Amino acid sequence: MNVLFITLFDIRNINNSGIYEDLLREFYKNDHNVYIISPTERRNREKTHFIENNGCKIIKVKTGNVQKTNLIEKGIATVLLETQYISAIKKYFSNIKFDLILYSTPPVTLVRPIKFIKKRDNAKTYLLLKDIFPQNAVDMGILGRKGIKGLLYKYFRKKEKMLYALSDKIGCMSQANVDYILKNNPEVNSEKAEICPNSIDLRDVLISETERINIREKYGLPLDKKIFVYGGNLGKPQGISFIIECLKKCKDIENAFFLIIGSGTEYGKLKNFVEREGSVNTKLFNALPKDEYDKMIAACDIGLIFLDHRFTIPNFPSRLLSYMQAKLPVLAATDANTDIGEIIVNNGFGWWCESNNTEDLYNKVVQINNENLFDMGKKALQYLIDNYSVKMSYRIIVDGINAERNC
């Protein structure tokens, strides 16, 4: 089967670790031909070009800057994407007949290239639903229902509905995602939406006690405190103001230390706070290389997840998997609409509180600081093995597409 993955993520090597690289590698391992269309943004100063990596064929399409830029540049670059991707497909993949098209949100704005290939090759289409846009932008106040923001919302909402209609299957991250899509898009057939969670190719990232001590000493982390670690994006979806209030409130908890690793549009706000407050129990790092990041996570004690309390859509951050793989129990502070906290608590590997209640989070940190975390870490790893293996996601996609063909 010829499989095409269309994405806005910068993929150059499917041997790297990540939810998309891991999934594509699983297709390749199962004797499918894997093709990828991925951007190289203007800041990289590269022309559109073709590369072959470990048997995988990749088009790097020159685009405008879409990630980590201002809204105007992002908007113009996003509008141009469809034409740029179609041109690249015609130039490099004109003689390839695709059987399956995989694509993820973000974005919802790649309808035309997907439609072009689907019609040309009679291909099946599978959407990996990783966010629900434009509603998430409305929740954060980036878009609205009136004025110019309202016009943009209507444009992107139309694109979203077109993408759902174009997709033979919609793989959702959790049951809450399935329920939300069906409730808010009644035109979507209930058989189209299914759970296909974030997943990874499991690796042994566990470290010895000696390694743990060495890593903590290397980065100036305390040896005698439980380290609560957050790793990932630092933007509006994480509710940085709430994180700052929590750090203030927890600064005097004797045996708790907070490590934050990441980058994003709100990184500077957090950096200014840490430098201004000079907190003795908080350390902030910019994004680290993947291998270094995994070792840092494994040297910590509790993983943190933050989501802004204003979200009405059920997000399910993939960073959860990194914590579970390192046998870390998890403390999630989120909105009330996602089911990530329910899954963590009901399966015995963590705690949840709503992300507008600093008092509740403070109490959870005090509670956790006095608990033995070993058994909870074991449960986290086992739940990952049983539910979030990339082999399971691969099987869900293939079985779902085969069922569509047999209809």
Side-chain angles (χ1 to χ4, degrees):
M1 183 162 66
N2 289 332
V3 179
L4 175 64
F5 181 53
I6 301 179
T7 182
L8 274 193
F9 286 87
D10 185 6
I11 296 180
R12 297 171 184 266
N13 186 341
I14 64 167
N15 284 332
N16 292 336
S17 296
I19 58 173
Y20 299 123
E21 290 94 337
D22 288 2
L23 179 60
L24 295 171
R25 202 162 55 247
E26 189 65 24
F27 271 91
Y28 184 74
K29 288 177 183 177
N30 282 275
D31 296 325
H32 301 289
N33 300 312
V34 176
Y35 301 80
I36 300 170
I37 301 177
S38 167
T40 177
E41 296 190 353
R42 181 171 58 84
R43 63 172 61 91
N44 295 327
R45 300 186 180 186
E46 295 178 323
K47 295 180 179 179
T48 296
H49 61 282
F50 173 83
I51 57 177
E52 188 162 353
N53 173 262
N54 296 304
C56 176
K57 299 171 178 62
I58 306 172
I59 303 176
K60 300 299 297 179
V61 181
K62 181 182 178 181
T63 69
N65 295 327
V66 179
Q67 312 289 344
K68 298 178 182 178
T69 187
N70 64 73
L71 284 176
I72 294 175
E73 183 176 24
K74 183 184 183 78
I76 294 172
T78 300
V79 169
L80 294 174
L81 278 172
E82 292 182 308
T83 300
Q84 292 166 337
Y85 272 43
I86 289 174
S87 296
I89 291 166
K90 288 180 177 179
K91 180 175 181 179
Y92 293 99
F93 289 161
S94 61
N95 61 338
I96 307 296
K97 184 179 186 299
F98 295 106
D99 303 290
L100 171 63
I101 311 168
L102 291 173
Y103 43 97
S104 67
T105 54
V108 296
T109 49
L110 290 177
V111 171
R112 283 178 51 215
I114 296 165
K115 187 176 182 179
F116 169 74
I117 302 167
K118 183 181 176 77
K119 182 178 180 181
R120 187 192 75 177
D121 298 346
N122 194 28
K124 291 298 179 182
T125 50
Y126 198 105
L127 168 61
L128 300 164
L129 190 73
K130 303 303 182 187
D131 72 359
I132 299 174
F133 179 85
Q135 183 56 47
N136 59 357
V138 174
D139 292 343
M140 295 296 97
I142 298 170
L143 294 180
R145 301 298 175 91
K146 297 179 181 179
I148 295 176
K149 287 184 176 181
L151 291 174
L152 288 171
Y153 168 79
K154 289 176 182 177
Y155 169 78
F156 287 121
R157 178 66 169 140
K158 183 179 179 181
K159 284 283 190 181
E160 179 191 16
K161 285 184 173 288
M162 290 170 65
L163 194 66
Y164 295 160
L166 191 60
S167 303
D168 293 309
K169 283 286 187 180
I170 302 174
C172 302
M173 295 181 290
S174 70
Q175 186 59 49
N177 279 250
V178 172
D179 295 342
Y180 183 94
I181 290 298
L182 296 179
K183 178 182 178 181
N184 291 277
N185 302 275
E187 71 279 4
V188 174
N189 189 315
S190 61
E191 294 182 1
K192 180 180 281 193
E194 63 184 3
I195 299 175
C196 184
N198 291 328
S199 60
I200 55 175
D201 188 3
L202 271 69
R203 298 180 297 126
D204 183 4
V205 298
L206 302 181
I207 59 176
S208 67
E209 179 62 18
T210 300
E211 289 175 302
R212 187 184 78 88
I213 292 171
N214 289 341
I215 291 168
R216 290 196 180 196
E217 289 180 340
K218 176 181 178 181
Y219 292 101
L221 303 174
L223 301 178
D224 57 346
K225 295 185 179 182
K226 285 180 177 169
I227 297 182
F228 294 72
V229 61
Y230 173 85
N233 186 49
L234 295 169
K236 291 186 182 298
Q238 284 67 50
I240 300 300
S241 295
F242 174 76
I243 295 176
I244 289 173
E245 290 306 310
C246 290
L247 293 173
K248 287 180 182 178
K249 192 167 185 66
C250 295
K251 67 179 180 179
D252 295 325
I253 300 177
E254 185 176 352
N255 295 316
F257 189 90
F258 296 90
L259 172 63
I260 300 173
I261 310 165
S263 62
T265 57
E266 302 290 288
Y267 175 85
K269 185 175 181 179
L270 198 55
K271 182 181 179 183
N272 288 340
F273 162 75
V274 173
E275 291 177 348
R276 185 176 67 250
E277 296 290 323
S279 179
V280 296
N281 74 336
T282 303
K283 183 157 277 195
L284 175 66
F285 285 99
N286 212 317
L288 296 173
K290 178 64 175 168
D291 288 344
E292 200 171 338
Y293 170 81
D294 286 340
K295 289 179 180 178
M296 181 84 92
I297 294 295
C300 297
D301 299 291
I302 302 100
L304 293 170
I305 288 175
F306 291 106
L307 288 171
D308 194 291
H309 76 278
R310 294 173 293 171
F311 275 122
T312 62
I313 61 163
N315 291 296
F316 206 100
S318 61
R319 68 184 56 88
L320 172 68
L321 309 185
S322 297
Y323 302 150
M324 298 171 78
Q325 186 170 234
K327 291 180 73 173
L328 299 190
V330 180
L331 171 58
T334 74
D335 58 273
N337 293 293
T338 178
D339 53 354
I340 193 170
E342 180 182 337
I343 289 171
I344 289 168
V345 172
N346 288 352
N347 292 283
F349 60 92
W351 306 263
W352 175 83
C353 66
E354 199 161 350
S355 54
N356 59 356
N357 190 333
T358 55
E359 185 70 29
D360 196 5
L361 185 133
Y362 173 87
N363 291 334
K364 291 286 193 305
V365 171
V366 171
Q367 173 192 344
I368 293 166
N369 215 33
N370 296 313
E371 289 195 20
N372 185 326
L373 307 177
F374 181 75
D375 287 341
M376 297 185 81
K378 285 173 60 178
K379 289 179 181 178
L381 179 58
Q382 191 58 53
Y383 194 84
L384 173 68
I385 293 168
D386 293 341
N387 296 275
Y388 300 142
S389 163
V390 74
K391 296 181 186 301
M392 296 179 66
S393 294
Y394 165 79
R395 195 73 263 159
I396 289 168
I397 294 169
V398 171
D399 288 349
I401 291 301
N402 287 339
E404 281 295 310
R405 286 202 178 95
N406 294 331
C407 288

